[in-house]
Amino acid sequence: MSSAQDTPAANRKIIHVDMDAFYASVEQRDDPALRGRPVAVGGSRARGVVAAASYEARRFGVRSAMPSSTAVRRCPDLVFVKPRFEVYRAVSHQIREIFARYTPLIEPLSLDEAYLDVTEDRMGLGSAQAIAQAIRAAIQAETHLTASAGVSYNKFIAKLASDQNKPDGMCVIPPARGPAFVASLPVSRFHGVGPVTARKMEALGILTGADLRDRPLPFLQAHFGSYADYLYRAARGVDERPVRVERTPKSVGAERTFETDLSARADLHDALERVADAAWVRIERAGIAGRTVTLKLRHADFRTITRARSFPHPVGDRPTILAAGRLLLDAQLPVVGGVRLLGLTLSGLTAADAVDTEIQPRLPL
């Protein structure tokens, strides 16, 4: 089998396939009463977190990882549906079998998205665009779900392109158009640029890819540290990462930087719960469990520490992960000067369906 690393970066043809509102679309497919209605997959109206939202719900500003109570305030008619991850995993497996007809070079990112290297045209369709269209048509015919696709010469631009014409759309960005396409986008669309970084960029007068491209590397290094090299290349449409076959993440989690530093225990616990909600959405989407929970804590003076707790068996439920994070956090209190960032990750990963739920340890809340 050919290797993604064997293909020169300049000659690659990459597709990023992203299912449209995957969890919610599966629920609407399987229950006709939900079609056309604002649907949230996740926790209850009173507590919990939104794992996914239908496009009808997104029009009201409902998003994944949002607290359910916030989602209801934004969309009072929101219908909550309990997640069925075993169904989502089965559909995801079906979709990956479709990918495999066209290329062996598949890098799954989660249950609902993947990169494909289609530099080699195994089916003789003539172009990466034709391959992407065939894949989307097969997904719709066989699963009755829609997928959007971005087609380009590298992973960074393919992922941006897949979001360009959602839902049920496709966007093709050839090498000649790549730098101009990136320059036209708001920097908030760039992978890895979260709300806090976007606001920092705005304060520096960086609103678009063109603005970012016009800043010299020393300027970016002074303001963004080690992240500057990525930003400098991205602004020029450069990404030499190959599609990594059978990609296994080392850890899955989330972190949040706060607008103001936190020091009170109650505030820190509330913030950690929101981080755990965001991490849990990613953990569920990846379909994994893990043995080690790690807390990341960045002080107001940017001093960063990590603390971890490992278990004898993989854990795969939110209460256990959150409880472990709380214990790790409490061991660092009180903090002097406040905390500007908290993160929570799960590592030592295994497939969630391999976990025996009867022997998962439970921590007191």
Side-chain angles (χ1 to χ4, degrees):
M1 184 177 69
S2 60
S3 168
Q5 284 82 355
D6 296 338
T7 305
N11 299 328
R12 291 180 186 140
K13 296 179 181 179
I14 307 296
I15 302 173
H16 179 257
V17 180
D18 193 4
M19 299 300 296
D20 298 322
F22 183 50
Y23 298 171
S25 294
V26 170
E27 298 302 334
Q28 290 177 316
R29 179 196 69 175
D30 294 348
D31 184 355
L34 297 176
R35 295 173 192 170
R37 302 178 67 186
V39 174
V41 177
S44 67
R45 298 173 69 91
R47 289 190 58 83
V49 63
V50 175
S54 69
Y55 281 98
E56 295 87 352
R58 294 182 188 189
R59 296 190 190 106
F60 292 87
V62 178
R63 296 288 184 268
S64 64
M66 176 180 287
S68 299
S69 56
T70 302
V72 171
R73 285 197 299 272
R74 294 190 177 185
C75 180
D77 295 329
L78 193 61
V79 180
F80 281 87
V81 179
K82 184 178 179 180
R84 298 182 299 153
F85 287 103
E86 70 286 353
V87 175
Y88 311 147
R89 293 186 189 107
V91 177
S92 178
H93 182 71
Q94 187 180 2
I95 292 165
R96 290 181 190 176
E97 287 181 339
I98 293 173
F99 294 160
R101 299 172 195 166
Y102 298 88
T103 178
L105 303 179
I106 304 166
E107 180 181 340
L109 301 178
S110 61
L111 293 180
D112 57 351
E113 62 175 320
Y115 290 114
L116 314 178
D117 187 320
V118 297
T119 308
E120 179 185 353
D121 185 1
R122 297 177 74 194
M123 304 290 285
L125 297 180
S127 69
Q129 179 177 350
I131 295 170
Q133 189 56 47
I135 288 171
R136 293 177 60 238
I139 289 172
Q140 186 156 27
E142 298 176 34
T143 71
H144 305 290
L145 300 169
T146 63
S148 294
V151 183
S152 197
Y153 59 97
N154 66 40
K155 290 163 69 172
F156 172 70
I157 297 181
K159 187 173 176 67
L160 287 173
S162 69
D163 197 44
Q164 192 72 2
N165 295 320
K166 270 185 167 289
D168 194 19
M170 185 167 70
C171 180
V172 181
I173 305 296
R177 286 184 52 208
F181 173 70
V182 172
S184 70
L185 298 177
V187 288
S188 58
R189 286 273 306 276
F190 285 26
H191 178 66
V193 177
V196 172
T197 301
R199 284 191 287 272
K200 180 177 179 180
M201 288 183 173
E202 182 178 357
L204 294 169
I206 302 172
L207 302 179
T208 67
D211 296 332
L212 185 61
R213 180 198 58 204
D214 292 342
R215 299 306 192 272
L217 182 58
F219 175 90
L220 297 177
Q221 289 171 332
H223 291 281
F224 301 103
S226 60
Y227 192 40
D229 289 339
Y230 162 76
L231 293 172
Y232 185 83
R233 291 193 301 271
R236 288 157 177 78
V238 176
D239 180 7
E240 297 185 352
R241 296 172 300 156
V243 169
R244 293 185 289 167
V245 180
E246 300 299 331
R247 178 179 182 268
T248 301
K250 294 181 179 180
S251 64
V252 178
E255 60 183 42
R256 293 291 183 269
T257 302
F258 312 123
E259 294 286 356
T260 58
D261 298 333
L262 305 179
S263 56
R265 181 177 184 272
D267 292 340
L268 286 165
H269 271 248
D270 286 345
L272 183 66
E273 184 157 3
R274 292 193 295 273
V275 172
D277 287 340
W280 182 242
V281 168
R282 296 177 181 177
I283 290 166
E284 286 278 31
R285 183 170 293 149
I288 53 88
R291 294 177 180 273
T292 301
V293 176
T294 300
L295 173 78
K296 179 178 179 181
L297 187 151
R298 181 167 295 155
H299 291 265
D301 60 2
F302 286 87
R303 183 169 47 92
T304 303
I305 64 168
T306 59
R307 296 292 185 268
R309 175 164 186 165
S310 295
F311 297 89
H313 304 289
V315 298
D317 65 286
R318 178 185 174 280
T320 301
I321 295 167
L322 175 58
R326 284 173 171 164
L327 290 175
L328 293 167
L329 174 61
D330 282 343
Q332 304 307 312
L333 300 181
V335 291
V336 177
V339 173
R340 62 178 288 109
L341 175 148
L342 285 176
L344 202 59
T345 60
L346 188 65
S347 58
L349 304 179
T350 186
D353 55 12
V355 178
D356 183 349
T357 57
E358 294 302 318
I359 60 174
Q360 285 188 48
R362 292 290 189 272
L363 292 176
L365 294 179

